[in-house]
Structures are given as structure tokens and as C-alpha cells.
């Protein structure tokens, strides 16, 4: 095994409420010139000398960068780069397929059979994607030199992912017909699926920066966005629609089962991996003095976390999304429970997708200048407002079938809510890009993006658990004229227990509204008391304050 590390720079994108923060190698190409050496020299200067040096070379750098950008934009994309772009899209697609299942469609399939506490257990399967920073230095450092730095990880990870999907497809009837007794196995299998997919993604992110030529390097994030989005929405939006018997009967299309879908993609995964082993040769990456050992990368992460302003930013990230956590984690599930069809929900998400892209473009424009956090701050109030509206929509949800006007209301609400979410995500990503130390930009960016993702992941378990905790349900037995208090009236198990004594299960107090109120209340207080003053303070700090001293 070879020990050599390249920590990536983070490229961000949004998948509905799920934010994907990939990584790219920390060190730039050797043919970029002496820019790294100049940055190192500037780091050795004091602040006054650095500013003076920056002023002296600013005009020259601006002119050269403009001329270089114009030259690059006029160059046609080579056939090799086009083939590699397609190849990258396919690899990212294979990463997005299991993510769309674990984070999107499967919870909706389980909703009819599990309580919210059981769904909270399954929600733990999404955690590995937010925590992949913990093992990404290992993936970047250990590999078989003869086989290829990236292929050493991509090939085994895809074989494992394909095998797991095949295993689930062969056992889907046993697992899904009685999921209440198989929650632990379902959670374990999908946690492994997400973890191995995330590990494959780490290697693909690193390969993207050497697979494409320098002129086409900017297309790496485009390939990542296309591949991940396509895979995620295929497993979430498209699958939920074709899995619905009502949708199949209405449009005359074949009914798609979870077993068949998983078996198809397992075969594709094996086929792509076999092609990768036989036909795709990985170019050897030249050794770079800037590569750090595994120990050095982890030491760098710890050094960054010791900065006082980084600690403040981490606190902001970990609690900033609590205000709309109930909306993100449970509103969609509640709508399905109220009678909203899964295929209609999938259609709403599909319509919302192009608006997310537009929101990202606008947020990128708004984040320019000396106040990159401006769109992130301004979008807080709309997101909290849309979370409140979502709670009211669930409360006043009509009995099916719903009218066209109400369906349009749901579409408008989803689009606007997602737009605000995308604006926030792009805004905070722009801020991360601005403050990250260029000498360790990949490690810095990935660390900050990890805490951003964790802020949206960790509350999910507490939200779903809290819904069952605060719910009050009663099993009314008309013949005996008695009411028996029960834990919940949502899952098949809860309803069956009541039915066994000839009763009717009735939810008297829905914990969803209590949890929503708690989240919204905390969100408003935390926003006013901590986030707003802290964010304004952080964006006024000079970028030099965010630098770390490397020994």
C-alpha cells in the first residue's frame, strides 16, 4: 500500500433538502506554475508585508488572469475530456442511486408500516455521508500503486455497493413486508450502503481533478452535479412515481418494484466496475511535496478547530437548521400519512428541481462582495416562515382527493421553501470559499461543510422520536365503552394492537405540531440572540484571521 495524501477542495450542490458536499484534492496541478510557492512565501510574511505584496502584484495578476480566462474559454473541449466527463457522470450517478433510496424513497415506503420512533432509527443510515471527513484522509493516502490511486478504492466500493443492492433485492419481501421486526437489519444494510457510496465518492472526487485537463477542470463540479442529481432523483422522484400502482394504471406504464429496481442497478454497478478494471487506465499522479500524511491531515483539522472564530462558526452550523428541522424531517411523511399520494409528492419534487438550480445561480451572484453571508442571513426568516406554513398545511390538509388549487399551493410552497434553502446553502458555501486558507483549502472547506451537513442531519432523529413522544393516542373500544391509552396510532403494529381488542385507534394529540413549535421557537430565539450578531461579526473579520499556523 502507498501512503500519500491529497485532501480535496469542497464543491457543493443541493439535492432538495439534502446537501452534498464533495471533496477535491487539496493540492493543485503542477502545471499551474509557481502559485503555491508564492502563497507559501506570503504566509511567511507579516500582515503589513503581505498587504503590500498583494497591492504590488494585484494589477499584474488581474490582467494575466483575465487574459488566461479568455484564452481558456475559446479552446474547444477535446474528445478525451468529453469521454472523461461522461465517465465521471456515470461514477457520480452510481453514487447518487443508493443515496436517493436511503435518504429519499425508502422512508416513504416504510412510513405506512413504522412508527416515527422506528423511522428515527432508520434515519441513522444517513449519518455516514455527513461524517465522511473522518475517513477521507485514509482514502486519499492508502492505495495500491500498481492498480491506481483512485481505482484502489472505487473498484472495491462499487463491488460492495452492487452486492448490497443485490442482497436487499433478494430479501426485499422479507424486509419490507414486516419492516417493524426488521428495523435493525434495514438500518444496518442501508447505513453500510450509504457509507460505502460515500467512500466511493471520496475517491471519485479526487480522481476528477486529474482525470480532466487543466482547461476543463471547472467541469468537474458540473459532472458531479449532473451525476448525483440524476441518480438521486431517479431513486427518489422517478422510483416513487413508477412504484405507485395508481401511477402505473393511470399512465399505462409497467409497475416498478423495489426488488427489480435494486437488481437492475446492481447489474449496472457490476458492469461499470468490470469495464473500469479492464478498459480504464488510471494515469499515475506525480508526487507532490505538499502532500500530507494521514497524521498531518488530522492534525490540521484539529488546528483549524482550535481557532476561536471557527468554533463560533461551528456552533452556528450545528444549531442553525434546528428551526426548520421538523419541516425537513417530517412534513413530507405527515402529508403522506394524511393521504397525499407518493407519486404526487414525487411530481412536486420534480417540478421543484429547476428552481433549485436557478436559486443557486442567483445566490452565487448575491454572495459576491464583502458581505458573502448576506443571502444566507436574509433567507433565514423566509425559511422559518415557510416551515410555519408547512405545519399549517399539514393541519388543514383536506380529505383526499385534494383539489387542483390545493395541489398548486403545495407546489408553490415547496418551490419557494426550497429556493430559500438553496440560497442559504450557496451563500454559506461562498463564505467558506472566501475564508478557507488556500494552503489547506481542501481540508478547511471539507471541515466546514461537514459541520454544515451535520447541522441538518443530527436533529432528524430527535424530531422523529419527539413526534411519538409527544403524541397522545387512545384505543376506543365501543363494545366495552372503555378507552385504552396506547403509544401510537400510526404504524401497522400500533393499529393492529388496538384492532385485536376490537377497538379503533385515535390520535388525540399529534406530536408533530408540538415538535414543530419547539423547533420554530428555538429557531427564532437562536437566530435573533446568536446567529445574526455572530454572522455579522464573522463576515467583518479579515481573511488573514482565518489562516492557521502550520508547524
Amino acid at each position: 500500500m502507498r501512503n500519500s495524501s491529497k485532501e480535496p477542495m469542497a464543491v457543493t450542490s443541493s439535492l432538495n433538502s439534502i446537501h452534498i458536499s464533495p471533496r477535491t484534492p487539496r493540492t493543485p496541478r503542477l502545471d499551474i506554475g509557481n502559485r503555491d510557492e508564492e502563497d507559501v512565501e506570503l504566509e511567511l510574511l507579516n500582515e503589513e508585508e503581505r498587504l503590500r505584496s498583494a497591492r504590488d502584484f494585484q494589477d499584474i495578476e488581474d490582467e494575466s488572469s483575465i487574459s488566461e480566462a479568455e484564452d481558456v474559454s475559446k479552446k474547444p473541449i477535446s474528445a478525451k475530456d468529453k469521454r472523461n466527463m461522461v465517465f465521471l457522470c456515470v461514477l457520480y450517478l452510481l453514487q447518487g442511486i443508493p443515496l436517493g433510496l436511503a435518504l429519499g424513497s425508502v422512508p416513504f415506503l416504510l412510513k405506512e408500516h413504522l412508527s416515527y420512533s422506528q423511522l428515527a432509527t432508520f434515519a441513522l443510515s444517513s449519518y455516514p455521508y455527513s461524517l465522511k471527513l473522518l475517513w477521507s484522509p485514509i482514502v486519499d493516502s492508502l492505495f495500491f500503486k500498481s492498480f491506481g490511486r483512485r481505482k484502489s478504492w472505487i473498484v472495491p466500493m462499487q463491488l460492495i455497493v452492487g452486492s448490497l443492492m443485490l442482497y436487499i433485492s433478494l430479501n426485499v419481501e422479507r424486509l419490507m413486508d414486516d419492516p417493524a421486526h426488521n428495523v435493525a437489519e434495514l438500518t444496518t444494510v442501508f447505513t453500510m450502503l450509504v457509507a460505502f457510496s460515500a467512500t466511493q465518492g471520496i475517491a471519485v472526487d479526487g480522481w476528477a481533478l486529474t482525470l480532466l485537463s487543466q482547461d476543463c477542470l471547472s467541469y468537474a463540479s458540473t459532472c458531479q452535479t449532473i451525476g448525483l442529481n440524476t441518480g438521486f432523483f431517479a431513486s427518489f422522484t422517478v422510483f416513487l412515481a413508477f412504484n405507485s400502482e395508481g401511477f402505473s394504471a393511470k399512465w399505462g406504464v409497467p409497475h416498478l418494484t423495489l426488488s427489480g429496481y435494486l437488481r437492475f442497478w446492481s447489474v449496472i454497478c457490476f458492469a461499470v466496475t468490470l469495464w473500469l478494471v479492464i478498459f480504464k487506465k488510471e494515469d499515475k499522479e506525480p508526487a507532490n511535496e505538499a502532500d500530507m500524511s494521514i497524521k498531518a491531515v488530522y492534525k490540521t483539522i484539529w488546528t483549524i478547530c482550535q481557532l476561536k472564530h471557527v468554533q463560533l462558526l461551528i456552533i452556528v452550523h450545528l444549531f442553525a437548521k434546528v428551526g426548520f428541522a421538523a419541516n425537513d424531517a417530517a412534513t413530507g411523511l405527515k402529508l403522506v400519512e394524511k393521504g397525499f399520494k407518493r407519486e404526487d409528492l414525487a411530481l412536486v419534487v420534480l417540478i421543484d428541481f429547476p428552481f433549485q438550480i436557478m436559486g443557486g445561480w442567483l445566490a452565487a451572484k448575491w454572495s459576491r462582495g464583502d458581505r458573502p453571508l448576506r443571502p444566507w442571513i436574509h433567507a433565514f426568516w423566509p425559511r422559518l416562515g415557510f416551515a410555519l406554513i408547512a405545519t399549517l398545511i399539514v393541519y388543514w390538509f383536506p380529505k383526499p382527493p385534494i383539489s387542483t388549487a390545493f395541489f398548486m399551493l403545495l407546489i408553490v410552497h415547496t418551490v419557494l421553501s426550497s429556493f430559500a434553502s438553496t440560497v442559504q446553502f450557496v451563500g454559506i458555501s461562498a463564505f467558506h470559499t472566501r475564508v478557507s486558507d488556500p494552503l489547506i483549502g481542501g481540508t478547511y472547506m471539507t471541515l466546514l461543510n461537514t459541520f454544515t451537513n451535520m447541522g441538518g442531519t443530527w436533529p432528524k432523529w430527535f424530531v422523529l422520536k419527539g413526534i411519538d413522544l409527544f403524541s397522545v393516542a387512545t384505543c376506543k373500544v365501543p363494545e366495552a365503552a372503555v378507552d385504552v391509552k396506547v403509544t401510537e396510532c400510526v404504524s401497522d403494529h400500533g393499529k393492529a394492537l388496538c384492532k385485536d381488542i376490537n377497538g379503533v385507534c385515535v390520535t388525540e394529540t399529534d406530536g408533530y405540531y408540538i415538535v414543530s413549535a419547539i423547533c420554530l421557537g428555538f429557531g427564532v430565539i437562536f437566530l435573533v440572540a446568536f446567529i445574526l450578531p455572530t454572522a455579522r461579526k464573522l463576515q467583518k473579520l479579515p481573511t488573514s484571521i482565518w489562516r492557521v499556523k502550520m508547524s
Side-chain angles (χ1 to χ4, degrees), residues 258-270:
L258 180 59
S259 176
Y261 184 80
L262 285 166
R263 193 175 295 115
F264 170 80
W265 282 109
S266 67
V267 172
I268 296 296
C269 199
F270 290 139

Side-chain angles (χ1 to χ4, degrees), residues 26 36 39 43 435-442 547:
R26 172 177 60 256
D36 281 350
D39 285 344
E43 284 296 316
V435 302
S436 294
D437 192 328
L439 291 181
I440 48 172
R547 303 291 175 92

Side-chain angles (χ1 to χ4, degrees), residues 341-380:
K341 295 179 180 179
R342 292 200 307 262
E343 61 268 24
D344 291 337
L345 179 66
L347 178 61
V348 171
V349 175
L350 183 62
I351 294 173
D352 170 56
F353 178 58
F355 290 95
Q356 286 193 42
I357 297 176
M358 183 176 65
W361 178 75
L362 290 174
K365 291 186 63 179
W366 297 337
S367 300
R368 294 177 178 177
D370 59 350
R371 291 189 295 171
L373 284 179
R374 179 177 52 187
W376 183 76
I377 294 173
H378 289 172
F380 256 108

